[in-house]
Amino acid sequence: MSQIGKTIRSFPKVFWVSNTMELFERWAWYGFYMAFALYLEESTDTGALGFSAEQKGTIMGVGTGILYLLPVITGAIADRIGYKKILILSFTMYVSGYWMLMTFENYFPIYLSYIYLAVAGALFKPIISAMISKTTNKTNASIGFGIFYMMINIGGWIGPFIAGAIYKTSWDLVFYMSMITISINYIFVFFFFKEPGRDGDEAQESIWKVIGQSLKNIWVTLIDFKYLLFLIIMVAFWTAFNQLYYTFPIFVNDWVDTTSLYNAIHSFIPGLAKAIGTAEGTITAVTIGSFDAFFIIFFQILISGIVMKYKPLNAMMSGIFILAIGVGMMFLFQNSIFVMIGLLVFSIGEMSSSPKFTEYVGSIAPADKKALYMGTSFLPIAAAHVLAGKLSGTPYDNAAGKLTLLKGEVAKRGLDIPEVTKTFTKNDYWDRAMELTGMSNSELTNFLWTNYNPSKVWMVYSGIAIGAVVALFLYDKFILKSKS
C-alpha cells in the first residue's frame, strides 16, 4: 500500500487536473448521450423530437463516427497550436453544441448540431490521453492510466444517472446539466492547466503539413495487412457493443416493465429505490443504462486480474463471447431484473475485451510506430458507430419498433387512426389505438410482444458479436498461425 501511495504522490499536479477535466467532460457527454436516442425518437409531447428510427440512427451513427475518426488529425493540430487553446475551443463548442441540440427541433439543424458537437469531442479526446502519457513514466504508467480509466467511468456513470432522474421532468434539464458540467472545465484550463513542452520543429510546422502527415501516417499503418484485417474484424465487436447507446434505451423504454426492478431494490433499500426511481415506481431506461459504467468502476480491477494471464486475443474472444450473452439477455426479456443481469454480463464482457483491444494493438505495433497504431485503433470504432446507427434505424424499427409494429396491427384490423404529425403525436396514436382496441397500455404492449416477438433482435446483436469471436479465432489460427 505504501508503494501505491508513493506512486500516486509521484504524479504532477497537471496529471490530476487533466484527469479531473476528463471526469467532467465524460459526465457532460454521457449524461446527454445515454439519453440521446430517446430524445431523438420519443413523442414530441414529452419535449422530445419525435424523429424516426432511421433519422436517429443516421444522426448518432455519422456524428459519433466523426468523433472517433477525427482525433488522428485533431491530436496533431493540438500539438501544433497548443493544448490550452484547443481545450478552450473544445469547451466553447461543447457548450454551444449542447445549446443548439436543446434549441433546434428540425432534423437537418439537429444533424448539423450533433456533428458540430462531435468535432468538439474530437478536439478534446486526444489531448487528455496525450497529457496522461506525458505525465507518466514506466514506473507509474500502469496506475496512471488505471486512474484515467476510472475517471472516465465515474463521469460515465454520474452523468446518465442524473439524466435518468431529470429527463422526465424536462429534456432541457439534461442539456443544462451538460452545459454547466463542461463549463466547470474552464476553471481548470484557465487557472490550473499547464501547457506541456513542445518540440521546436513541431510547433513551427504549418497546420496543412501536420494534417497531411497525419493522413500519411494512417496509410502507413493500414498497409499492414494483418493489422488491417484485425481492425476490420473489430468493427463487428464495436457494432454490437454500441447498441447499448443506440437501441437499448429505446427497447427498455418501449417494452420492459421496470416496476419489478424498482420493487426489488425497494424491498432491500427503500431510500435508494426512491432516489433512482420515478414517482410511478419505475426506473428509467437511462438510469438502467448508466449501470454499465457503475459495474466497471467496481469490477474492472477484479476482471483485469482474472484475464491478465491470458493472451490478449484469447481474452478478447472470451470477453466478446460473454458480451454476446449479455447483449442477448438485454434484448430478450421484458422482466427488468433479467435485463439488469444481462447488463451486468455485458459489462463483464466489455471489461474483459475492451482493455485487451488496446493492449493487443500496443503489443503488435512496431517499436517506432506505436503512437501511429494506437491512433488508427480508433478507426474501427468510428466505422462501427456508422454501422450501429444504420442497424438501429430501419432494420431495428421493422423488427422491434413499438409504433411500427402497432401500425401493422392497426392496418390488419382496419382501424382508422391518422398518421403521426406534429399535432397528432406518437403518444396520441398509441392512445387512440388503446381506445379502439379496448386494451390498456400494458395489455396492448404485451399483445404486441406476444404476437410480433420484438425480442428477436437479440439474435442479430448477439450474432454480430459471436461473428467477431469466430473471425478472431480464424484470424489467430490461420493468419497469425498461433499454435496455442
Side-chain angles (χ1 to χ4, degrees), residues 248-259:
F248 180 66
I250 301 291
F251 185 86
V252 171
N253 193 64
D254 282 350
W255 299 110
V256 178
D257 181 4
T258 61
T259 54

Side-chain angles (χ1 to χ4, degrees), residues 240 243 327 391 395 399 455-467:
Q243 297 310 319
V327 77
L391 194 62
S455 64
K456 60 181 174 288
V457 297
W458 80 267
M459 293 184 285
V460 178
Y461 301 143
S462 293
I464 292 172
I466 291 174

Side-chain angles (χ1 to χ4, degrees), residues 154-304:
I154 291 173
W157 174 60
I158 295 176
F161 188 80
I162 296 175
I166 63 178
Y167 85 89
K168 289 285 189 180
T169 302
S170 170
W171 278 107
D172 286 357
L173 292 177
V174 175
F175 292 101
Y176 281 126
M177 175 196 70
S178 293
M179 284 187 277
I180 292 170
T181 304
I182 197 66
S183 294
I184 293 173
N185 276 342
Y186 280 119
I187 298 173
F188 293 101
V189 74
F190 277 120
F191 298 105
F192 301 105
F193 184 79
K194 182 180 179 182
E195 187 80 33
R198 286 181 288 154
D199 180 86
D201 294 334
E202 181 183 73
Q204 294 176 15
E205 287 182 327
S206 71
I207 292 179
W208 293 113
K209 184 176 180 180
V210 168
I211 293 175
Q213 186 60 47
S214 298
L215 296 175
K216 181 181 178 182
N217 289 342
I218 294 174
W219 175 251
V220 167
T221 60
L222 296 186
I223 59 175
D224 180 343
F225 172 73
K226 290 182 179 180
Y227 180 57
L228 176 61
L229 184 58
F230 170 73
L231 294 183
I232 292 173
I233 293 171
M234 293 308 295
V235 171
F237 161 65
W238 292 114
T239 298
F241 171 83
N242 286 329
Q243 297 310 319
L244 173 68
Y245 308 107
Y246 287 77
T247 55
F248 180 66
I250 301 291
F251 185 86
V252 171
N253 193 64
D254 282 350
W255 299 110
V256 178
D257 181 4
T258 61
T259 54
S260 58
L261 181 61
Y262 178 93
N263 292 335
I265 297 173
H266 190 274
S267 65
F268 290 99
I269 315 176
L272 176 62
K274 291 179 180 179
I276 69 174
T278 67
E280 295 78 25
T282 62
I283 298 178
T284 69
V286 179
T287 299
I288 291 175
S290 74
F291 277 87
D292 174 62
F294 178 82
F295 294 143
I296 292 173
I297 292 169
F298 280 91
F299 298 118
Q300 181 66 69
I301 294 177
L302 173 63
I303 299 299
S304 294

